[in-house]
Amino acid sequence: MTADNLPDGGSIIRLPVAPQANSRIRFAPLQPPATQALTPSEAVRLVDAMAVGAECRIELTGPGDPLVTADLTVAVLRELYARSPLARLSLATLGIGGDRLAKELQQAGLAEIRLQVNAVDPVILEKIYAWIRPGLKTLALPEAARILVAEQRQTVLAGKEAG
């Protein structure tokens, strides 16, 4: 978990709750093992101990991607929202699958998504990523890069529609 101060005097708490990755950037340091991700109950206990208020943003992050383990992410959001309804809940993601989950995430208390967009051209993405797994298996990089671009676009549209 990390905490930073925002320019408006509030704070942001980043909770590493996503244990599973769906991509790997070339030349990046290896991601920490999934065992470093917090369980939902650990995340909630940490936030409870901090007594967060309206000026606080709680962001669900990795070592993996929160949308890969969507059930876990939704459960954490619901619990955090129930305990800290004034905090602004967000998550950091590549956005794969976000279009199918946007409404459910919003209903669970999510206020914003921080989408990691490294490029909008699949050819450039092929140079950035070592692999991308948009589903249950890793695809050939050219195909996976095209899917990533399309999924991110759909996630933006679905997020806008969900509010």
Side-chain angles (χ1 to χ4, degrees):
M1 180 190 80
T2 62
D4 296 315
N5 292 323
L6 296 172
D8 63 4
S11 61
I12 180 169
I13 300 167
R14 290 185 181 86
L15 297 174
V17 298
Q20 193 173 346
N22 58 2
S23 68
R24 170 99 167 82
I25 292 179
R26 295 180 194 276
F27 314 112
L30 289 176
Q31 294 175 335
T35 56
Q36 291 189 9
L38 299 172
T39 66
S41 59
E42 290 171 331
V44 170
R45 276 197 308 271
L46 275 171
V47 171
D48 281 349
M50 298 178 84
V52 301
E55 68 286 347
C56 184
R57 186 171 85 192
I58 301 170
E59 182 175 79
L60 304 185
T61 65
D65 189 297
L67 296 184
V68 173
T69 50
D71 291 344
L72 180 141
T73 298
V74 169
V76 171
L77 285 169
R78 287 181 203 267
E79 190 66 26
L80 290 173
Y81 186 70
R83 292 172 179 262
S84 303
L86 298 178
R88 186 166 179 81
L89 301 178
S90 68
L91 64 85
T93 180
L94 271 183
I96 296 173
D99 61 329
R100 295 177 294 281
L101 296 164
K103 192 65 174 168
E104 184 178 6
L105 291 166
Q106 186 267 339
Q107 290 170 347
L110 186 70
E112 66 184 35
I113 293 176
R114 186 169 53 88
L115 200 61
Q116 179 183 335
V117 178
N118 292 307
V120 294
D121 182 341
V123 174
I124 294 172
L125 287 173
E126 289 177 51
K127 295 174 184 174
I128 295 172
Y129 285 92
W131 57 266
I132 300 169
R133 187 178 302 126
L136 296 176
K137 62 182 182 175
T138 305
L139 301 176
L141 201 48
E143 180 182 0
R146 285 191 302 276
I147 290 171
L148 176 56
V149 169
E151 290 272 338
Q152 288 183 329
R153 182 179 189 284
Q154 290 303 315
T155 294
V156 169
L157 295 173
K160 183 178 178 182
E161 185 176 312

mmCIF file of all heavy atoms in Angstrom, residues 88-136:
data_model
loop_
_atom_site.group_PDB
_atom_site.id
_atom_site.type_symbol
_atom_site.label_atom_id
_atom_site.label_comp_id
_atom_site.label_asym_id
_atom_site.label_seq_id
_atom_site.Cartn_x
_atom_site.Cartn_y
_atom_site.Cartn_z
ATOM 1 N N ARG A 88 -13.488 8.615 -2.511
ATOM 2 C CA ARG A 88 -13.623 8.463 -3.962
ATOM 3 C C ARG A 88 -12.876 7.190 -4.356
ATOM 4 O O ARG A 88 -11.656 7.113 -4.236
ATOM 5 C CB ARG A 88 -13.038 9.676 -4.669
ATOM 6 C CG ARG A 88 -13.246 9.678 -6.152
ATOM 7 C CD ARG A 88 -12.942 11.057 -6.722
ATOM 8 N NE ARG A 88 -13.121 11.080 -8.142
ATOM 9 C CZ ARG A 88 -14.294 11.207 -8.756
ATOM 10 N NH1 ARG A 88 -15.385 11.321 -8.036
ATOM 11 N NH2 ARG A 88 -14.376 11.212 -10.069
ATOM 12 N N LEU A 89 -13.605 6.179 -4.827
ATOM 13 C CA LEU A 89 -13.016 4.894 -5.185
ATOM 14 C C LEU A 89 -12.630 4.875 -6.656
ATOM 15 O O LEU A 89 -13.408 5.283 -7.518
ATOM 16 C CB LEU A 89 -13.994 3.760 -4.896
ATOM 17 C CG LEU A 89 -14.470 3.629 -3.449
ATOM 18 C CD1 LEU A 89 -15.466 2.489 -3.310
ATOM 19 C CD2 LEU A 89 -13.293 3.437 -2.512
ATOM 20 N N SER A 90 -11.413 4.417 -6.932
ATOM 21 C CA SER A 90 -10.937 4.339 -8.312
ATOM 22 C C SER A 90 -10.138 3.063 -8.490
ATOM 23 O O SER A 90 -9.848 2.353 -7.532
ATOM 24 C CB SER A 90 -10.089 5.566 -8.657
ATOM 25 O OG SER A 90 -8.874 5.560 -7.948
ATOM 26 N N LEU A 91 -9.801 2.771 -9.736
ATOM 27 C CA LEU A 91 -8.910 1.649 -10.005
ATOM 28 C C LEU A 91 -8.042 1.958 -11.204
ATOM 29 O O LEU A 91 -8.413 2.734 -12.081
ATOM 30 C CB LEU A 91 -9.660 0.323 -10.170
ATOM 31 C CG LEU A 91 -10.635 0.104 -11.320
ATOM 32 C CD1 LEU A 91 -9.918 -0.352 -12.573
ATOM 33 C CD2 LEU A 91 -11.623 -0.962 -10.922
ATOM 34 N N ALA A 92 -6.850 1.352 -11.194
ATOM 35 C CA ALA A 92 -5.886 1.511 -12.277
ATOM 36 C C ALA A 92 -5.879 0.221 -13.080
ATOM 37 O O ALA A 92 -5.738 -0.863 -12.516
ATOM 38 C CB ALA A 92 -4.497 1.794 -11.711
ATOM 39 N N THR A 93 -6.042 0.331 -14.408
ATOM 40 C CA THR A 93 -6.205 -0.849 -15.239
ATOM 41 C C THR A 93 -5.778 -0.596 -16.670
ATOM 42 O O THR A 93 -5.732 0.556 -17.112
ATOM 43 C CB THR A 93 -7.679 -1.314 -15.222
ATOM 44 O OG1 THR A 93 -7.829 -2.474 -16.046
ATOM 45 C CG2 THR A 93 -8.606 -0.232 -15.730
ATOM 46 N N LEU A 94 -5.500 -1.677 -17.390
ATOM 47 C CA LEU A 94 -5.326 -1.586 -18.843
ATOM 48 C C LEU A 94 -6.682 -1.422 -19.519
ATOM 49 O O LEU A 94 -6.772 -0.934 -20.630
ATOM 50 C CB LEU A 94 -4.661 -2.855 -19.396
ATOM 51 C CG LEU A 94 -3.162 -2.894 -19.440
ATOM 52 C CD1 LEU A 94 -2.688 -4.190 -20.078
ATOM 53 C CD2 LEU A 94 -2.561 -1.719 -20.149
ATOM 54 N N GLY A 95 -7.732 -1.879 -18.882
ATOM 55 C CA GLY A 95 -9.075 -1.707 -19.415
ATOM 56 C C GLY A 95 -9.647 -2.916 -20.124
ATOM 57 O O GLY A 95 -10.774 -2.867 -20.608
ATOM 58 N N ILE A 96 -8.910 -4.008 -20.192
ATOM 59 C CA ILE A 96 -9.431 -5.200 -20.869
ATOM 60 C C ILE A 96 -10.618 -5.734 -20.070
ATOM 61 O O ILE A 96 -10.506 -6.032 -18.894
ATOM 62 C CB ILE A 96 -8.343 -6.279 -21.021
ATOM 63 C CG1 ILE A 96 -7.228 -5.768 -21.934
ATOM 64 C CG2 ILE A 96 -8.935 -7.575 -21.550
ATOM 65 C CD1 ILE A 96 -6.022 -6.671 -22.029
ATOM 66 N N GLY A 97 -11.778 -5.806 -20.727
ATOM 67 C CA GLY A 97 -12.996 -6.273 -20.072
ATOM 68 C C GLY A 97 -13.768 -5.193 -19.356
ATOM 69 O O GLY A 97 -14.837 -5.450 -18.815
ATOM 70 N N GLY A 98 -13.258 -3.989 -19.358
ATOM 71 C CA GLY A 98 -13.914 -2.898 -18.649
ATOM 72 C C GLY A 98 -15.283 -2.547 -19.186
ATOM 73 O O GLY A 98 -16.165 -2.142 -18.420
ATOM 74 N N ASP A 99 -15.483 -2.726 -20.478
ATOM 75 C CA ASP A 99 -16.790 -2.387 -21.053
ATOM 76 C C ASP A 99 -17.885 -3.302 -20.501
ATOM 77 O O ASP A 99 -18.989 -2.857 -20.237
ATOM 78 C CB ASP A 99 -16.745 -2.432 -22.580
ATOM 79 C CG ASP A 99 -16.395 -3.796 -23.136
ATOM 80 O OD1 ASP A 99 -15.639 -4.555 -22.486
ATOM 81 O OD2 ASP A 99 -16.859 -4.108 -24.247
ATOM 82 N N ARG A 100 -17.575 -4.568 -20.279
ATOM 83 C CA ARG A 100 -18.564 -5.512 -19.761
ATOM 84 C C ARG A 100 -18.817 -5.318 -18.262
ATOM 85 O O ARG A 100 -19.830 -5.756 -17.749
ATOM 86 C CB ARG A 100 -18.115 -6.946 -20.036
ATOM 87 C CG ARG A 100 -18.049 -7.265 -21.532
ATOM 88 C CD ARG A 100 -17.549 -8.657 -21.814
ATOM 89 N NE ARG A 100 -16.164 -8.903 -21.430
ATOM 90 C CZ ARG A 100 -15.096 -8.514 -22.129
ATOM 91 N NH1 ARG A 100 -15.254 -7.845 -23.257
ATOM 92 N NH2 ARG A 100 -13.875 -8.791 -21.721
ATOM 93 N N LEU A 101 -17.883 -4.664 -17.582
ATOM 94 C CA LEU A 101 -17.973 -4.513 -16.131
ATOM 95 C C LEU A 101 -18.325 -3.107 -15.673
ATOM 96 O O LEU A 101 -18.536 -2.884 -14.480
ATOM 97 C CB LEU A 101 -16.634 -4.906 -15.499
ATOM 98 C CG LEU A 101 -16.226 -6.359 -15.663
ATOM 99 C CD1 LEU A 101 -14.752 -6.536 -15.350
ATOM 100 C CD2 LEU A 101 -17.070 -7.230 -14.772
ATOM 101 N N ALA A 102 -18.386 -2.151 -16.575
ATOM 102 C CA ALA A 102 -18.533 -0.743 -16.193
ATOM 103 C C ALA A 102 -19.731 -0.491 -15.285
ATOM 104 O O ALA A 102 -19.604 0.169 -14.249
ATOM 105 C CB ALA A 102 -18.601 0.142 -17.433
ATOM 106 N N LYS A 103 -20.874 -0.994 -15.642
ATOM 107 C CA LYS A 103 -22.082 -0.748 -14.849
ATOM 108 C C LYS A 103 -21.976 -1.413 -13.472
ATOM 109 O O LYS A 103 -22.312 -0.809 -12.449
ATOM 110 C CB LYS A 103 -23.316 -1.249 -15.600
ATOM 111 C CG LYS A 103 -24.606 -0.781 -15.008
ATOM 112 C CD LYS A 103 -24.724 0.719 -15.124
ATOM 113 C CE LYS A 103 -26.086 1.187 -14.661
ATOM 114 N NZ LYS A 103 -26.120 2.631 -14.497
ATOM 115 N N GLU A 104 -21.466 -2.649 -13.438
ATOM 116 C CA GLU A 104 -21.312 -3.354 -12.166
ATOM 117 C C GLU A 104 -20.309 -2.644 -11.256
ATOM 118 O O GLU A 104 -20.522 -2.522 -10.048
ATOM 119 C CB GLU A 104 -20.871 -4.796 -12.409
ATOM 120 C CG GLU A 104 -20.770 -5.630 -11.162
ATOM 121 C CD GLU A 104 -20.381 -7.070 -11.435
ATOM 122 O OE1 GLU A 104 -20.069 -7.431 -12.575
ATOM 123 O OE2 GLU A 104 -20.372 -7.837 -10.451
ATOM 124 N N LEU A 105 -19.221 -2.154 -11.836
ATOM 125 C CA LEU A 105 -18.219 -1.423 -11.063
ATOM 126 C C LEU A 105 -18.809 -0.131 -10.495
ATOM 127 O O LEU A 105 -18.587 0.211 -9.334
ATOM 128 C CB LEU A 105 -16.998 -1.116 -11.926
ATOM 129 C CG LEU A 105 -16.147 -2.319 -12.333
ATOM 130 C CD1 LEU A 105 -15.179 -1.928 -13.444
ATOM 131 C CD2 LEU A 105 -15.409 -2.898 -11.138
ATOM 132 N N GLN A 106 -19.576 0.566 -11.318
ATOM 133 C CA GLN A 106 -20.215 1.810 -10.869
ATOM 134 C C GLN A 106 -21.195 1.519 -9.741
ATOM 135 O O GLN A 106 -21.228 2.236 -8.738
ATOM 136 C CB GLN A 106 -20.910 2.490 -12.063
ATOM 137 C CG GLN A 106 -21.475 3.848 -11.776
ATOM 138 C CD GLN A 106 -22.930 3.805 -11.364
ATOM 139 O OE1 GLN A 106 -23.650 2.853 -11.632
ATOM 140 N NE2 GLN A 106 -23.354 4.839 -10.686
ATOM 141 N N GLN A 107 -21.957 0.462 -9.853
ATOM 142 C CA GLN A 107 -22.922 0.095 -8.805
ATOM 143 C C GLN A 107 -22.216 -0.327 -7.515
ATOM 144 O O GLN A 107 -22.782 -0.191 -6.430
ATOM 145 C CB GLN A 107 -23.841 -1.022 -9.298
ATOM 146 C CG GLN A 107 -24.800 -0.556 -10.367
ATOM 147 C CD GLN A 107 -25.558 -1.695 -11.041
ATOM 148 O OE1 GLN A 107 -25.222 -2.866 -10.890
ATOM 149 N NE2 GLN A 107 -26.591 -1.338 -11.793
ATOM 150 N N ALA A 108 -20.994 -0.828 -7.634
ATOM 151 C CA ALA A 108 -20.221 -1.237 -6.453
ATOM 152 C C ALA A 108 -19.561 -0.047 -5.767
ATOM 153 O O ALA A 108 -18.947 -0.202 -4.716
ATOM 154 C CB ALA A 108 -19.169 -2.267 -6.858
ATOM 155 N N GLY A 109 -19.664 1.143 -6.353
ATOM 156 C CA GLY A 109 -19.128 2.342 -5.721
ATOM 157 C C GLY A 109 -17.957 2.982 -6.445
ATOM 158 O O GLY A 109 -17.425 3.991 -5.995
ATOM 159 N N LEU A 110 -17.537 2.409 -7.577
ATOM 160 C CA LEU A 110 -16.408 2.973 -8.319
ATOM 161 C C LEU A 110 -16.765 4.348 -8.873
ATOM 162 O O LEU A 110 -17.801 4.519 -9.504
ATOM 163 C CB LEU A 110 -15.998 2.043 -9.462
ATOM 164 C CG LEU A 110 -14.730 2.454 -10.216
ATOM 165 C CD1 LEU A 110 -13.499 2.254 -9.334
ATOM 166 C CD2 LEU A 110 -14.589 1.657 -11.491
ATOM 167 N N ALA A 111 -15.891 5.312 -8.640
ATOM 168 C CA ALA A 111 -16.112 6.675 -9.129
ATOM 169 C C ALA A 111 -15.293 6.982 -10.367
ATOM 170 O O ALA A 111 -15.694 7.797 -11.191
ATOM 171 C CB ALA A 111 -15.776 7.685 -8.033
ATOM 172 N N GLU A 112 -14.118 6.342 -10.509
ATOM 173 C CA GLU A 112 -13.271 6.643 -11.663
ATOM 174 C C GLU A 112 -12.353 5.477 -11.993
ATOM 175 O O GLU A 112 -12.019 4.668 -11.131
ATOM 176 C CB GLU A 112 -12.454 7.907 -11.436
ATOM 177 C CG GLU A 112 -11.420 7.788 -10.345
ATOM 178 C CD GLU A 112 -10.689 9.091 -10.065
ATOM 179 O OE1 GLU A 112 -11.304 10.166 -10.155
ATOM 180 O OE2 GLU A 112 -9.495 9.021 -9.763
ATOM 181 N N ILE A 113 -11.969 5.436 -13.261
ATOM 182 C CA ILE A 113 -11.008 4.452 -13.744
ATOM 183 C C ILE A 113 -9.814 5.214 -14.294
ATOM 184 O O ILE A 113 -9.976 6.149 -15.079
ATOM 185 C CB ILE A 113 -11.605 3.573 -14.868
ATOM 186 C CG1 ILE A 113 -12.727 2.699 -14.319
ATOM 187 C CG2 ILE A 113 -10.529 2.706 -15.510
ATOM 188 C CD1 ILE A 113 -13.424 1.868 -15.377
ATOM 189 N N ARG A 114 -8.617 4.824 -13.851
ATOM 190 C CA ARG A 114 -7.384 5.375 -14.424
ATOM 191 C C ARG A 114 -6.886 4.341 -15.428
ATOM 192 O O ARG A 114 -6.390 3.293 -15.066
ATOM 193 C CB ARG A 114 -6.339 5.654 -13.347
ATOM 194 C CG ARG A 114 -5.112 6.362 -13.918
ATOM 195 C CD ARG A 114 -4.193 6.883 -12.832
ATOM 196 N NE ARG A 114 -3.791 5.902 -11.862
ATOM 197 C CZ ARG A 114 -2.722 5.104 -11.985
ATOM 198 N NH1 ARG A 114 -1.962 5.170 -13.062
ATOM 199 N NH2 ARG A 114 -2.422 4.244 -11.043
ATOM 200 N N LEU A 115 -7.072 4.650 -16.695
ATOM 201 C CA LEU A 115 -6.737 3.736 -17.778
ATOM 202 C C LEU A 115 -5.288 3.936 -18.201
ATOM 203 O O LEU A 115 -4.870 5.059 -18.499
ATOM 204 C CB LEU A 115 -7.677 4.017 -18.951
ATOM 205 C CG LEU A 115 -7.860 2.938 -19.990
ATOM 206 C CD1 LEU A 115 -8.435 1.676 -19.388
ATOM 207 C CD2 LEU A 115 -8.778 3.445 -21.091
ATOM 208 N N GLN A 116 -4.515 2.856 -18.217
ATOM 209 C CA GLN A 116 -3.120 2.926 -18.646
ATOM 210 C C GLN A 116 -3.082 2.722 -20.161
ATOM 211 O O GLN A 116 -3.225 1.619 -20.651
ATOM 212 C CB GLN A 116 -2.288 1.848 -17.962
ATOM 213 C CG GLN A 116 -0.843 1.865 -18.397
ATOM 214 C CD GLN A 116 -0.044 0.738 -17.750
ATOM 215 O OE1 GLN A 116 -0.393 0.242 -16.697
ATOM 216 N NE2 GLN A 116 1.020 0.343 -18.410
ATOM 217 N N VAL A 117 -2.884 3.810 -20.888
ATOM 218 C CA VAL A 117 -2.810 3.767 -22.343
ATOM 219 C C VAL A 117 -1.379 4.113 -22.738
ATOM 220 O O VAL A 117 -0.955 5.249 -22.586
ATOM 221 C CB VAL A 117 -3.807 4.762 -22.990
ATOM 222 C CG1 VAL A 117 -3.683 4.743 -24.499
ATOM 223 C CG2 VAL A 117 -5.229 4.454 -22.546
ATOM 224 N N ASN A 118 -0.654 3.124 -23.224
ATOM 225 C CA ASN A 118 0.736 3.331 -23.622
ATOM 226 C C ASN A 118 0.872 3.708 -25.088
ATOM 227 O O ASN A 118 1.905 4.234 -25.492
ATOM 228 C CB ASN A 118 1.567 2.084 -23.321
ATOM 229 C CG ASN A 118 1.690 1.869 -21.832
ATOM 230 O OD1 ASN A 118 2.091 2.763 -21.105
ATOM 231 N ND2 ASN A 118 1.318 0.690 -21.366
ATOM 232 N N ALA A 119 -0.136 3.420 -25.886
ATOM 233 C CA ALA A 119 -0.170 3.786 -27.305
ATOM 234 C C ALA A 119 -1.565 3.477 -27.826
ATOM 235 O O ALA A 119 -2.293 2.683 -27.231
ATOM 236 C CB ALA A 119 0.873 3.007 -28.099
ATOM 237 N N VAL A 120 -1.936 4.100 -28.932
ATOM 238 C CA VAL A 120 -3.221 3.808 -29.562
ATOM 239 C C VAL A 120 -3.038 3.109 -30.905
ATOM 240 O O VAL A 120 -4.002 2.796 -31.576
ATOM 241 C CB VAL A 120 -4.083 5.083 -29.726
ATOM 242 C CG1 VAL A 120 -4.479 5.636 -28.358
ATOM 243 C CG2 VAL A 120 -3.369 6.133 -30.545
ATOM 244 N N ASP A 121 -1.805 2.858 -31.263
ATOM 245 C CA ASP A 121 -1.476 2.163 -32.504
ATOM 246 C C ASP A 121 -0.971 0.764 -32.141
ATOM 247 O O ASP A 121 0.034 0.631 -31.429
ATOM 248 C CB ASP A 121 -0.392 2.943 -33.249
ATOM 249 C CG ASP A 121 -0.008 2.337 -34.583
ATOM 250 O OD1 ASP A 121 -0.295 1.138 -34.819
ATOM 251 O OD2 ASP A 121 0.600 3.050 -35.391
ATOM 252 N N PRO A 122 -1.652 -0.295 -32.617
ATOM 253 C CA PRO A 122 -1.225 -1.659 -32.284
ATOM 254 C C PRO A 122 0.226 -1.959 -32.650
ATOM 255 O O PRO A 122 0.899 -2.714 -31.946
ATOM 256 C CB PRO A 122 -2.185 -2.540 -33.081
ATOM 257 C CG PRO A 122 -3.392 -1.698 -33.300
ATOM 258 C CD PRO A 122 -2.887 -0.289 -33.403
ATOM 259 N N VAL A 123 0.731 -1.362 -33.712
ATOM 260 C CA VAL A 123 2.123 -1.603 -34.121
ATOM 261 C C VAL A 123 3.088 -1.084 -33.047
ATOM 262 O O VAL A 123 4.090 -1.730 -32.731
ATOM 263 C CB VAL A 123 2.408 -0.954 -35.501
ATOM 264 C CG1 VAL A 123 3.873 -1.060 -35.864
ATOM 265 C CG2 VAL A 123 1.533 -1.594 -36.574
ATOM 266 N N ILE A 124 2.770 0.056 -32.472
ATOM 267 C CA ILE A 124 3.608 0.605 -31.405
ATOM 268 C C ILE A 124 3.469 -0.248 -30.143
ATOM 269 O O ILE A 124 4.455 -0.524 -29.454
ATOM 270 C CB ILE A 124 3.255 2.078 -31.134
ATOM 271 C CG1 ILE A 124 3.630 2.910 -32.365
ATOM 272 C CG2 ILE A 124 3.963 2.602 -29.891
ATOM 273 C CD1 ILE A 124 3.170 4.334 -32.326
ATOM 274 N N LEU A 125 2.259 -0.708 -29.840
ATOM 275 C CA LEU A 125 2.057 -1.566 -28.674
ATOM 276 C C LEU A 125 2.886 -2.841 -28.762
ATOM 277 O O LEU A 125 3.386 -3.333 -27.752
ATOM 278 C CB LEU A 125 0.581 -1.911 -28.504
ATOM 279 C CG LEU A 125 -0.303 -0.789 -27.994
ATOM 280 C CD1 LEU A 125 -1.772 -1.198 -28.026
ATOM 281 C CD2 LEU A 125 0.103 -0.373 -26.592
ATOM 282 N N GLU A 126 3.036 -3.371 -29.969
ATOM 283 C CA GLU A 126 3.850 -4.580 -30.159
ATOM 284 C C GLU A 126 5.304 -4.344 -29.741
ATOM 285 O O GLU A 126 5.988 -5.279 -29.320
ATOM 286 C CB GLU A 126 3.821 -5.018 -31.615
ATOM 287 C CG GLU A 126 2.495 -5.594 -32.061
ATOM 288 C CD GLU A 126 2.513 -5.946 -33.529
ATOM 289 O OE1 GLU A 126 3.449 -6.651 -33.975
ATOM 290 O OE2 GLU A 126 1.591 -5.514 -34.247
ATOM 291 N N LYS A 127 5.767 -3.120 -29.851
ATOM 292 C CA LYS A 127 7.137 -2.791 -29.458
ATOM 293 C C LYS A 127 7.247 -2.557 -27.954
ATOM 294 O O LYS A 127 8.325 -2.688 -27.375
ATOM 295 C CB LYS A 127 7.618 -1.554 -30.217
ATOM 296 C CG LYS A 127 7.716 -1.799 -31.713
ATOM 297 C CD LYS A 127 8.053 -0.531 -32.454
ATOM 298 C CE LYS A 127 8.037 -0.815 -33.958
ATOM 299 N NZ LYS A 127 8.203 0.383 -34.745
ATOM 300 N N ILE A 128 6.146 -2.191 -27.318
ATOM 301 C CA ILE A 128 6.140 -1.880 -25.895
ATOM 302 C C ILE A 128 5.946 -3.132 -25.043
ATOM 303 O O ILE A 128 6.591 -3.292 -24.012
ATOM 304 C CB ILE A 128 5.044 -0.838 -25.579
ATOM 305 C CG1 ILE A 128 5.373 0.492 -26.280
ATOM 306 C CG2 ILE A 128 4.878 -0.642 -24.074
ATOM 307 C CD1 ILE A 128 4.267 1.520 -26.196
ATOM 308 N N TYR A 129 5.049 -4.007 -25.473
ATOM 309 C CA TYR A 129 4.685 -5.170 -24.660
ATOM 310 C C TYR A 129 5.430 -6.425 -25.082
ATOM 311 O O TYR A 129 5.626 -6.674 -26.266
ATOM 312 C CB TYR A 129 3.172 -5.433 -24.754
ATOM 313 C CG TYR A 129 2.371 -4.437 -23.957
ATOM 314 C CD1 TYR A 129 1.899 -3.271 -24.545
ATOM 315 C CD2 TYR A 129 2.105 -4.644 -22.608
ATOM 316 C CE1 TYR A 129 1.187 -2.336 -23.808
ATOM 317 C CE2 TYR A 129 1.402 -3.717 -21.874
ATOM 318 C CZ TYR A 129 0.941 -2.572 -22.473
ATOM 319 O OH TYR A 129 0.242 -1.657 -21.742
ATOM 320 N N ALA A 130 5.788 -7.236 -24.091
ATOM 321 C CA ALA A 130 6.353 -8.562 -24.345
ATOM 322 C C ALA A 130 5.218 -9.552 -24.601
ATOM 323 O O ALA A 130 5.338 -10.442 -25.424
ATOM 324 C CB ALA A 130 7.192 -9.026 -23.163
ATOM 325 N N TRP A 131 4.114 -9.392 -23.869
ATOM 326 C CA TRP A 131 2.920 -10.205 -24.068
ATOM 327 C C TRP A 131 1.697 -9.492 -23.510
ATOM 328 O O TRP A 131 1.808 -8.651 -22.624
ATOM 329 C CB TRP A 131 3.058 -11.615 -23.475
ATOM 330 C CG TRP A 131 3.390 -11.687 -22.008
ATOM 331 C CD1 TRP A 131 4.638 -11.800 -21.465
ATOM 332 C CD2 TRP A 131 2.483 -11.655 -20.897
ATOM 333 N NE1 TRP A 131 4.557 -11.841 -20.100
ATOM 334 C CE2 TRP A 131 3.240 -11.770 -19.712
ATOM 335 C CE3 TRP A 131 1.103 -11.556 -20.774
ATOM 336 C CZ2 TRP A 131 2.686 -11.779 -18.450
ATOM 337 C CZ3 TRP A 131 0.536 -11.558 -19.509
ATOM 338 C CH2 TRP A 131 1.317 -11.670 -18.366
ATOM 339 N N ILE A 132 0.540 -9.846 -24.076
ATOM 340 C CA ILE A 132 -0.756 -9.324 -23.626
ATOM 341 C C ILE A 132 -1.706 -10.519 -23.612
ATOM 342 O O ILE A 132 -1.767 -11.281 -24.573
ATOM 343 C CB ILE A 132 -1.312 -8.239 -24.581
ATOM 344 C CG1 ILE A 132 -0.341 -7.063 -24.675
ATOM 345 C CG2 ILE A 132 -2.691 -7.770 -24.118
ATOM 346 C CD1 ILE A 132 -0.663 -6.075 -25.792
ATOM 347 N N ARG A 133 -2.439 -10.658 -22.526
ATOM 348 C CA ARG A 133 -3.387 -11.760 -22.394
ATOM 349 C C ARG A 133 -4.785 -11.167 -22.218
ATOM 350 O O ARG A 133 -5.230 -10.914 -21.105
ATOM 351 C CB ARG A 133 -3.007 -12.626 -21.198
ATOM 352 C CG ARG A 133 -3.819 -13.885 -21.056
ATOM 353 C CD ARG A 133 -3.357 -14.732 -19.870
ATOM 354 N NE ARG A 133 -1.958 -15.085 -20.013
ATOM 355 C CZ ARG A 133 -1.018 -14.853 -19.094
ATOM 356 N NH1 ARG A 133 -1.326 -14.264 -17.973
ATOM 357 N NH2 ARG A 133 0.228 -15.201 -19.294
ATOM 358 N N PRO A 134 -5.527 -10.959 -23.328
ATOM 359 C CA PRO A 134 -6.852 -10.359 -23.207
ATOM 360 C C PRO A 134 -7.925 -11.314 -22.680
ATOM 361 O O PRO A 134 -9.018 -10.889 -22.360
ATOM 362 C CB PRO A 134 -7.196 -9.909 -24.624
ATOM 363 C CG PRO A 134 -6.156 -10.464 -25.503
ATOM 364 C CD PRO A 134 -5.086 -11.071 -24.688
ATOM 365 N N GLY A 135 -7.607 -12.589 -22.589
ATOM 366 C CA GLY A 135 -8.575 -13.573 -22.086
ATOM 367 C C GLY A 135 -7.864 -14.587 -21.221
ATOM 368 O O GLY A 135 -6.998 -14.247 -20.425
ATOM 369 N N LEU A 136 -8.212 -15.841 -21.425
ATOM 370 C CA LEU A 136 -7.629 -16.904 -20.610
ATOM 371 C C LEU A 136 -6.270 -17.378 -21.105
ATOM 372 O O LEU A 136 -5.555 -18.055 -20.395
ATOM 373 C CB LEU A 136 -8.594 -18.092 -20.545
ATOM 374 C CG LEU A 136 -9.934 -17.799 -19.855
ATOM 375 C CD1 LEU A 136 -10.847 -19.018 -19.925
ATOM 376 C CD2 LEU A 136 -9.724 -17.358 -18.423
#
